[in-house]
Amino acid sequence: MPTDEGYDAFVAARRDLLVEERGGGPVVEAAVDRALARCRRGWRRLEREDDVEARVRDQVELELDRPRRRRIALRAVGVLLLVVLAGVLWSLRPQPPAVAEEPNPLPVPWYDGTDLHLAEVRVTLPDLGPFVADGDGVIVRRDGEVQRVDADGDLSAYSGSVDFGSDTTDNIPPIDPNDRILQSVDGPSDTTLHLVEMLSSNPEAGTYVRLSETGRRVFLLCTPYSCVTRLVEPGARLR
C-alpha cells in the first residue's frame, strides 16, 4: 500500500493515546490497530470530508464491541437452532391414535387388523401386537412396549405385569369339521366368543364369502343354547 504521510502521522501521534484512554492491554491494542487499519484505505477522503479523530474513535468503539456482538449473534443462532430442533422433535413425536365413536357389536374388545374395537369407540392402531382386556380398556403390546388403551381410546404407558396368553374355554360351538376355531374368549353373561375361519362350503360360509371377497373369518357369539354369527374383517383378533 502506498505511504500516506497523514495517516502515518496520525498513528504516530494518536495510537498510544487511544489505547491508554481505553484501559490498555492486548485486547484494546488489537482493537485500536484494527480500527486504524480499517480507516487507512479511505484516509484521504476522511481528511477532506469528515472529522478524522471522531471517525477513528467511533471505529475503535466498534472494534471493542465486536466480540460482544459476536457473542450475541452466536447466542441468537443457538436459540434459533434450539427452536428449530424443538419443532422437528415435536413434528416427529408419536401422534395419538385416531378415535371414533362406534358401539362395539360384540361383548369383548376385538381387533380387525387396523382398528381396535372397544365398548364405545374404535381406535386406529396399525400393527397392534397381542392385547388383553383390562376393565373397560385393554393392555396392548405395541412397537415393543406395553401400553394401556382406556375406554375413551387414550393411550398411556403401562408398567404392571400382564399375561398375553390366549384365553381358553371348553364351550366349543357346533361348527363344520372343515372350519377352524382360531381363538375363544369367555364373555359376560355365560356367553363365549369364538373367532372361526370358515374353510367349508356350508351355507354360513357361503353367505360370508358373498359379503366379503377378502376373507373368511367370522365371530360366533354363543350362549349355552345357540350361536349368532358376526361378520368381521380379515385378520381379526379378540380378547
Side-chain angles (χ1 to χ4, degrees):
M1 181 178 294
T3 302
D4 191 316
E5 294 180 358
Y7 173 82
D8 292 340
F10 184 90
V11 172
R14 305 296 295 163
R15 191 262 183 192
D16 291 344
L17 181 60
L18 290 170
V19 172
E20 182 179 346
E21 287 176 349
R22 286 154 182 81
V27 173
V28 174
E29 289 186 1
V32 170
D33 289 340
R34 288 196 304 272
L36 291 171
R38 290 181 184 277
C39 292
R40 182 173 188 176
R41 181 175 299 174
W43 188 259
R44 292 183 181 180
R45 179 180 56 79
L46 291 178
E47 287 183 316
R48 292 193 306 269
E49 300 176 0
D50 292 332
D51 182 343
V52 174
E53 179 83 16
R55 177 59 67 88
V56 171
R57 288 178 179 276
D58 289 344
Q59 189 63 48
V60 170
E61 295 302 327
L62 287 175
E63 293 299 328
L64 286 172
D65 194 46
R66 193 178 298 278
R68 184 186 67 84
R69 288 185 285 117
R70 184 180 295 113
R71 289 193 299 271
I72 292 176
L74 290 174
R75 192 176 298 118
V77 171
V79 171
L80 178 60
L81 290 176
L82 288 176
V83 171
V84 172
L85 179 60
V88 171
L89 293 176
W90 179 261
S91 67
L92 295 177
R93 77 194 190 284
Q95 297 296 319
V99 179
E101 292 187 8
E102 183 178 295
N104 189 351
L106 304 174
V108 296
W110 61 283
Y111 182 69
D112 62 18
T114 301
D115 294 334
L116 177 67
H117 298 258
L118 301 177
E120 300 295 337
V121 298
R122 171 172 51 85
V123 188
T124 300
L125 290 170
D127 302 322
L128 188 68
F131 61 96
V132 294
D134 182 56
D136 293 333
V138 295
I139 307 298
V140 304
R141 181 179 293 132
R142 180 169 176 259
D143 297 332
E145 298 182 2
V146 178
Q147 300 173 315
R148 187 178 191 278
V149 186
D150 67 18
D152 295 325
D154 294 330
L155 203 63
S156 61
Y158 184 80
S159 58
S161 60
V162 58
D163 180 10
F164 288 108
S166 300
D167 293 335
T168 60
T169 180
D170 296 327
N171 185 9
I172 304 300
I175 62 174
D176 190 286
N178 293 319
D179 297 337
R180 182 161 62 106
I181 295 179
L182 301 179
Q183 190 178 355
S184 298
V185 174
D186 290 328
S189 304
D190 294 326
T191 59
T192 305
L193 201 61
H194 305 276
L195 178 58
V196 180
E197 187 171 33
M198 309 293 283
L199 302 176
S200 64
S201 58
N202 61 42
E204 186 82 59
T207 300
Y208 181 72
V209 172
R210 286 195 299 273
L211 291 173
S212 172
E213 298 179 356
T214 59
R216 290 171 169 264
R217 291 183 176 179
V218 297
F219 284 134
L220 297 183
L221 179 60
C222 299
T223 70
Y225 310 102
S226 64
C227 293
V228 179
T229 302
R230 293 287 191 272
L231 183 66
V232 298
E233 297 295 328
R237 288 182 282 125
L238 56 89
R239 280 293 184 275

